[in-house]
Amino acid sequence: GLREKISLFLSDHPNSILPSSLWAGLNTFITSENIGDATSATHKVCDTQGERMESELSMIRYIIWAIPSIGFIGTVRGIGEALSQAHIAVEGDIAGMTASLGVAFNSTFVALVISILLMFFLHQLQLVQDRLVLNTKDYCDKNLLSLLNT
């Protein structure tokens, strides 16, 4: 019947937040006949899925964190190369030194711009994920739990 169809769908889509939440709420209500327990079950599934989505972003967060560090390595390298040409600059030829300093400052600039852009997109992705969890809780409360309450 319906339970088997829902169970089959969930086995094919284990990370689908809405069907999993509805199923948890419905199963809990069937066993306990308590709306509060069903609400807790739907919210627990939503929270668990939200935490899963959050943890999946950890590597992206690390990469975004590392980008300014990589830029800083380029900055140190460029300044080091510029300093190694200081004796040439003292003689009047500052072209090599200024080119190395350009590399140093460009490394910092590029890394910071990339980091800012990626952080923006990461925050947008987190916003979408948070809205998904909240909208799923709201949907469960308005549609499933209100039907069970009647």
Side-chain angles (χ1 to χ4, degrees), residues 60-136:
I60 294 171
R61 268 194 206 85
Y62 174 77
I63 291 169
I64 292 172
W65 170 84
I67 288 172
S69 300
I70 294 168
F72 183 68
I73 291 169
T75 302
V76 170
R77 183 176 165 265
I79 290 172
E81 189 166 323
L83 290 176
S84 72
Q85 297 177 14
H87 67 283
I88 298 171
V90 169
E91 296 171 3
D93 183 13
I94 63 167
M97 187 173 197
T98 57
S100 295
L101 287 174
V103 167
F105 294 120
N106 283 338
S107 297
T108 302
F109 176 74
V110 168
L112 290 176
V113 168
I114 290 171
S115 180
I116 289 168
L117 290 173
L118 289 177
M119 282 303 291
F120 173 77
F121 289 118
L122 177 65
H123 284 284
Q124 292 301 308
L125 177 60
Q126 285 179 311
L127 178 65
V128 168
Q129 289 178 341
D130 290 344
R131 283 184 181 160
L132 174 65
V133 171
L134 291 173
N135 289 341
T136 301

Side-chain angles (χ1 to χ4, degrees), residues 17 42-52 133 137:
I17 187 169
T42 59
H43 288 201
K44 184 177 179 183
V45 169
C46 289
D47 292 339
T48 301
Q49 291 289 6
E51 290 169 9
R52 181 190 57 78
V133 171
K137 283 181 182 180

Side-chain angles (χ1 to χ4, degrees), residues 4-49:
E4 290 80 23
K5 288 180 183 178
I6 293 172
S7 184
L8 182 62
F9 177 81
L10 287 176
S11 65
D12 291 339
H13 304 90
N15 294 326
S16 298
I17 187 169
L18 181 59
S20 299
S21 299
L22 292 171
W23 183 241
L26 188 59
N27 267 340
T28 302
F29 183 77
I30 289 170
T31 46
S32 72
E33 295 184 12
N34 184 315
I35 296 291
D37 291 346
T39 301
S40 295
T42 59
H43 288 201
K44 184 177 179 183
V45 169
C46 289
D47 292 339
T48 301
Q49 291 289 6

